[in-house]
Amino acid sequence: MLALIEQELAKLPSRALAIFREHRIDGLTQREIAARRGISASTVESDLRLAYRLLDDIRRRIDEE
């Protein structure tokens, strides 16, 4: 299951994947990520939304099996 998740996450745009990891693994807030990367908080939010949507799709597929 972990391999499937990693494979699917790799399909995200590189910035979205990096932001997801900074937020979920490194524990940075959305504001911290935005400031660190020089982008807007709404861009961070949008990229996180992509990652969470992908994870939700994976969860649904797993639940259907």
Side-chain angles (χ1 to χ4, degrees):
M1 192 175 345
L2 181 58
L4 170 66
I5 293 169
E6 288 176 345
Q7 179 182 5
E8 292 297 313
L9 284 174
K11 294 178 182 177
L12 287 171
S14 60
R15 185 186 69 203
L17 180 58
I19 287 173
F20 174 74
R21 287 186 172 160
E22 289 173 357
H23 185 62
R24 295 302 297 181
I25 296 171
D26 299 337
L28 297 176
T29 66
Q30 292 180 21
R31 285 186 183 154
E32 290 171 330
I33 295 167
R36 185 184 262 194
R37 293 181 161 271
I39 57 177
S40 70
S42 63
T43 299
V44 172
E45 204 172 296
S46 176
D47 283 351
L48 285 173
R49 203 173 306 118
L50 284 174
Y52 290 131
R53 191 174 303 131
L54 178 72
L55 290 172
D56 189 49
D57 290 344
I58 295 167
R59 182 189 56 80
R60 289 174 195 259
R61 281 189 287 172
I62 291 170
D63 287 348
E64 289 174 357
E65 292 178 358

